[in-house]
Amino acid sequence: MWFITIIAGVWSGLDIVQRNLSFSKQRKLLTLIGSVVPAVCLVLAGYAKDRTLIVAYISLSAGFSGCQMVGSGINQIDLAPRYADILMGFSNTFASMGGIVAPYLAQTLTPNHKPAEWRVVFYITAALFIVGALGFVIFGSAERQWWAEGAKRASPLPPSRVCLEGDPSQSLVANMEESGNPEVQYSV
């Protein structure tokens, strides 16, 4: 996965890609690649007879899902750089639910460990890949959101009180004494 992620990241940073595709289109394309290729590989793994081929398909599925990291995986930074950590926390919390439910679901759906049972598990996983990708392609964006800018704060000090040189602590003390409200007075 890390190798594909690096290749996808380098690809998205190429000048020719940057000139011809907006960030939103790059993110959507990489999310599609990182979802459709793994989904197809999982379905193929369900029908493969050779164990080596099954491992190869599952490995390709995991590897190409690395494109999602450069697609939707870092989208929080595009949307709201100031709040990317909070957005990442929420999205990773919800994304982790699949990792909690998947082992139980796989165990329930494969009581006899037959290939037909595993096909069902792979189809469900492939469907989740596709639904997630379509959701991001339809509703996703890499444009900075209006709420992400934050409020512009002006200095609470009148322009004559801004300390440009000298000892800033003296300016701070003078402002505290004048205003009587030390919590909002500071030097810039």
Side-chain angles (χ1 to χ4, degrees):
M1 180 192 288
W2 64 269
F3 186 71
I4 301 276
T5 303
I6 291 171
I7 290 172
V10 169
W11 175 82
S12 70
L14 294 175
D15 284 340
I16 191 166
V17 174
Q18 300 248 333
R19 283 193 303 254
N20 294 314
L21 290 175
S22 67
F23 275 129
S24 288
K25 289 180 182 174
Q26 287 179 40
R27 301 289 190 247
K28 290 177 181 186
L29 179 62
L30 287 167
T31 299
L32 270 175
I33 293 169
S35 297
V36 172
V37 173
V40 169
C41 288
L42 285 176
V43 170
L44 291 173
Y47 288 98
K49 303 291 185 202
D50 182 38
R51 287 180 186 228
T52 305
L53 194 55
I54 293 170
V55 170
Y57 282 137
I58 292 174
S59 297
L60 283 172
S61 176
F64 273 96
S65 68
C67 288
Q68 289 182 0
M69 291 308 206
V70 185
S72 58
I74 60 169
N75 193 242
Q76 295 88 344
I77 298 169
D78 297 329
L79 296 176
R82 293 179 64 173
Y83 306 107
D85 53 347
I86 297 167
L87 292 174
M88 186 72 77
F90 281 119
S91 63
N92 280 349
T93 299
F94 290 113
S96 296
M97 298 303 171
I100 295 168
V101 173
Y104 175 74
L105 184 63
Q107 181 183 9
T108 303
L109 293 173
T110 60
N112 302 316
H113 303 289
K114 301 285 184 190
E117 296 170 340
W118 279 105
R119 275 187 215 114
V120 173
V121 173
F122 292 151
Y123 272 121
I124 291 171
T125 307
L128 290 172
F129 268 123
I130 299 299
V131 168
L134 289 177
F136 186 74
V137 167
I138 293 168
F139 301 111
S141 171
E143 304 300 320
R144 179 141 328 144
Q145 300 299 298
W146 62 269
W147 49 265
E149 295 300 322
K152 302 280 188 220
R153 286 193 344 184
S155 172
L157 303 176
S160 63
R161 297 302 298 173
V162 174
C163 180
L164 298 177
E165 55 187 47
D167 185 4
S169 64
Q170 293 305 314
S171 178
L172 177 62
V173 171
N175 287 322
M176 288 169 49
E177 291 170 356
E178 289 175 10
S179 71
N181 186 0
E183 297 170 336
V184 295
Q185 298 297 318
Y186 56 89
S187 292
V188 177

